Amino acid sequence: MKVSRFVGLFFGLGLAVSAHAAPDPNFHIYLAFGQSNMEGQGDVGSQDKTVDERFQVLWAANNGSCSGKTKGKWATAVPPLAHCQGAKLGPTDYFGRTMVEKTDSKIKVGVIVVAVAGCSIQLFDKDGYANYARSQQSWMTQRINEYGGNPYGRLIEMAKKAQEDGVIKGIIFHQGETDAGDGQWPSKVKKVYDNIIKDLGLGNDVPFLAGEVLRSGSSKGANNNIAKLPQQSKNFYVVSSEGFNQALGDGQNVHFTSQEYRDFGKRYAEKMIEVLGDKIKPVAESSSSETPSSSSVESSSSVEESSSSVESSSSTTGGIVIPNAIYAVSVGKVHFEGDFLQMPVSMAHSGIVSIRLYSVLGTEVANVNRMLSAGTSNVLISRKKVPAGIYMMSVVTASSYITKRIDLSK
């Protein structure tokens, strides 16, 4: 039978998808970064030490001795969440707790916090951070070194690791006091956001929530810049600090109190829930309605898919006709652009997609698993992993299997 011969060839070439654990679509990951208020400066009270195990932190700092955490390992999100160089209770603590409280019990919430007191947005500029870091005082350098000397790089490193376990849903941000007088700050923040999206291969709908600074504080002018962030992107939102007027009694007049951090975190969560809407609902692990008869197997010698249709009454695949096939996924033109191999993937429904690239000898060259929303998303693989050449690509979802030959030799 032609189908059997095709599938046999697929497995014979070593192109079968290996049994890797797919990311849990119900493990929602949020990135958090900024300066001292994102670190958290509030004293940790007894009520802050009891945390639901559904709320986890992927520890990003080198040293976790203050909390028993280990870099690159998930742990229950007991504060501090940023590092052991003076970080305490911050907005991320009650952001995560509120997300757990107000979402389905099937949902787990994970956060990655990278924050450096006193820093400018320049510290998160992947192109210019090194020059900025070299000019800072020792107390800040100690914090920067907790992230390997490159806080942005560490954020991306940990986020990629987190993508092996769950799905990045959004970003929370608190920074700007240091840059209150910089009129270009909003566009600089947008640049950092764009880099995060590109470096992690995320979609074009990831929300970015920026919190206002203390309205009665010495850096209150930063709120003028923060108010302009939504002009930079449809994905940018501002979380109000209205009513937070006590100020932490540390003499700096820029930090919130512990209770204000708790309330601020709740505001971040409520806004994230509002923005994400149905995207925070749990995803069924499998569906009994998804049977082999609804899958499609496709092979093509063309780099670019000619059909953008999601459904078809029949499918012709290398001489194989599959009646009533449903195209749950299709792949556009795969090509190199800059430092990445770009793969446009169109999904009829949100779900996990597993992509594998194999050499003509059947050796796996690269693999990626992503939770993608319905529509078209650009999945990226570092160009360093994929030399120029000819490859076979497999794309697998819960109900579709595609193989195609791609020519990357030109």
Side-chain angles (χ1 to χ4, degrees), residues 343-398:
M343 298 174 288
V345 179
S346 297
M347 301 279 285
H349 308 285
S350 62
I352 294 173
V353 61
S354 177
I355 300 174
R356 300 286 188 271
L357 287 181
Y358 301 89
S359 71
V360 292
L361 298 177
T363 302
E364 184 179 288
V365 174
N367 66 75
V368 61
N369 297 301
R370 290 286 185 273
M371 179 69 184
L372 300 182
S373 301
T376 300
S377 301
N378 208 16
V379 178
L380 306 179
I381 294 179
S382 173
R383 188 167 189 162
K384 295 178 181 178
K385 296 182 179 180
V386 187
I390 296 174
Y391 296 90
M392 290 295 293
M393 179 172 68
S394 72
V395 181
V396 180
T397 68

Side-chain angles (χ1 to χ4, degrees), residues 146-273:
E146 277 298 304
Y147 301 117
N150 181 1
Y152 176 85
R154 181 62 57 86
L155 180 66
I156 297 302
E157 175 192 352
M158 292 296 104
K160 288 181 177 179
K161 185 174 182 63
Q163 286 178 313
E164 298 173 4
D165 303 314
V167 182
I168 294 175
K169 289 289 185 176
I171 303 169
I172 65 174
F173 174 72
H174 199 284
Q175 194 274 330
E177 296 94 336
T178 297
D179 300 310
D182 182 0
Q184 298 303 311
W185 181 83
S187 61
K188 293 176 181 178
V189 173
K190 176 61 160 51
K191 178 183 177 183
V192 175
Y193 172 83
D194 288 344
N195 284 334
I196 292 173
I197 299 303
K198 181 177 180 180
D199 289 347
L200 296 178
L202 300 176
N204 61 359
D205 59 351
V206 177
F208 181 92
L209 310 189
E212 289 184 329
V213 304
L214 192 68
R215 291 191 174 191
S216 60
S218 57
S219 297
K220 60 185 178 182
N223 284 332
N224 295 326
N225 275 336
I226 293 169
K228 297 175 183 177
L229 282 176
Q231 301 172 18
Q232 296 290 319
S233 169
K234 64 181 177 61
N235 298 320
F236 281 18
Y237 301 87
V238 174
V239 181
S240 171
S241 65
E242 183 177 3
F244 301 157
N245 299 314
Q246 296 180 25
L248 189 67
D250 60 358
Q252 298 187 49
N253 198 26
V254 294
H255 300 133
F256 301 95
T257 65
S258 293
Q259 186 55 49
E260 287 172 339
Y261 281 125
R262 296 181 189 110
D263 293 338
F264 213 178
K266 292 176 184 178
R267 290 185 185 182
Y268 271 98
E270 289 164 357
K271 188 64 177 180
M272 187 67 76
I273 290 169

